[in-house]
Amino acid sequence: MTRADSPDLHALEDASRALRGLLGVVIAVERKFGSQQSPLALLRQIMGDPQWEWLRPLYQLIADVDHALHEGDLPVSEIAAIGAHAVALLSGVGAPVEQAFLERYRALLQTDPEVAIAHSTALQAIRKLPPEADSEAERLHARHQWAMRCKHRRHGQ
């Protein structure tokens, strides 16, 4: 099946695009409270400043998904695992919680309508991904496969 024939890969592309949109809104809102700087300086700050460390789980997820999409070899079970991971990250339900991310993100979600709208858009796109398997063993296996794919990508293996 080619990418053009895969509705699940198209849905994952849409979810990634929505997550990137959410990240952009979050960064824009956070920038309101800081000094204005060039895009390159901001990127360096986001990647290296401890004040932005809380945002790492979101941009790491986006990078992992985009890299996997580029490879193009994603089984449906892993696409479902990605959706579960994204929902857990944004809601704090269903998987280990990224506490620092969730605390800061929830505060923005509750105080900024742009973040709330982008959050809703991202969740709508994520919910179009295939559901995880009913079997706990299959779900855990798919999540493990996804985690290993990310680990290998991050460590250049």
Side-chain angles (χ1 to χ4, degrees):
M1 179 180 295
T2 67
R3 179 177 296 268
D5 297 333
S6 175
D8 294 326
L9 283 176
H10 281 297
L12 186 58
E13 289 169 344
D14 291 345
S16 179
R17 193 171 15 265
L19 287 168
R20 286 191 308 270
L22 173 61
L23 177 62
V25 169
V26 167
I27 290 170
V29 168
E30 285 287 286
R31 283 185 76 186
K32 290 178 188 176
F33 304 109
S35 63
Q36 296 300 312
Q37 49 197 234
S38 73
L40 182 57
L42 177 63
L43 178 61
R44 286 185 183 134
Q45 186 179 26
I46 291 169
M47 299 297 289
D49 188 323
Q51 288 185 305
W52 289 90
E53 180 67 26
W54 71 274
L55 198 50
R56 180 179 297 272
L58 180 57
Y59 69 73
Q60 189 67 62
L61 172 62
I62 294 166
D64 291 338
V65 169
D66 287 350
H67 189 268
L69 280 166
H70 178 73
E71 289 177 347
D73 183 23
L74 273 176
V76 173
S77 60
E78 282 186 52
I79 294 173
I82 292 167
H85 178 108
V87 168
L89 178 63
L90 297 181
S91 68
V93 177
V97 174
E98 296 281 355
Q99 197 61 40
F101 171 81
L102 202 53
E103 286 175 11
R104 188 83 171 255
Y105 181 69
R106 281 186 176 160
L108 290 174
L109 190 58
Q110 293 172 0
T111 58
D112 194 286
E114 289 179 57
V115 174
I117 291 167
H119 171 84
S120 176
T121 300
L123 284 179
Q124 287 173 0
I126 292 163
R127 288 189 178 116
K128 292 179 182 175
L129 297 175
E132 286 192 288
D134 290 333
S135 161
E136 183 176 5
E138 290 176 32
R139 280 192 313 273
L140 291 175
H141 178 72
R143 289 177 184 187
H144 175 75
Q145 291 299 108
W146 170 243
M148 291 297 96
R149 181 186 298 267
C150 295
K151 180 179 177 180
H152 289 290
R153 182 195 71 79
R154 290 180 197 151
H155 298 294
Q157 298 172 342

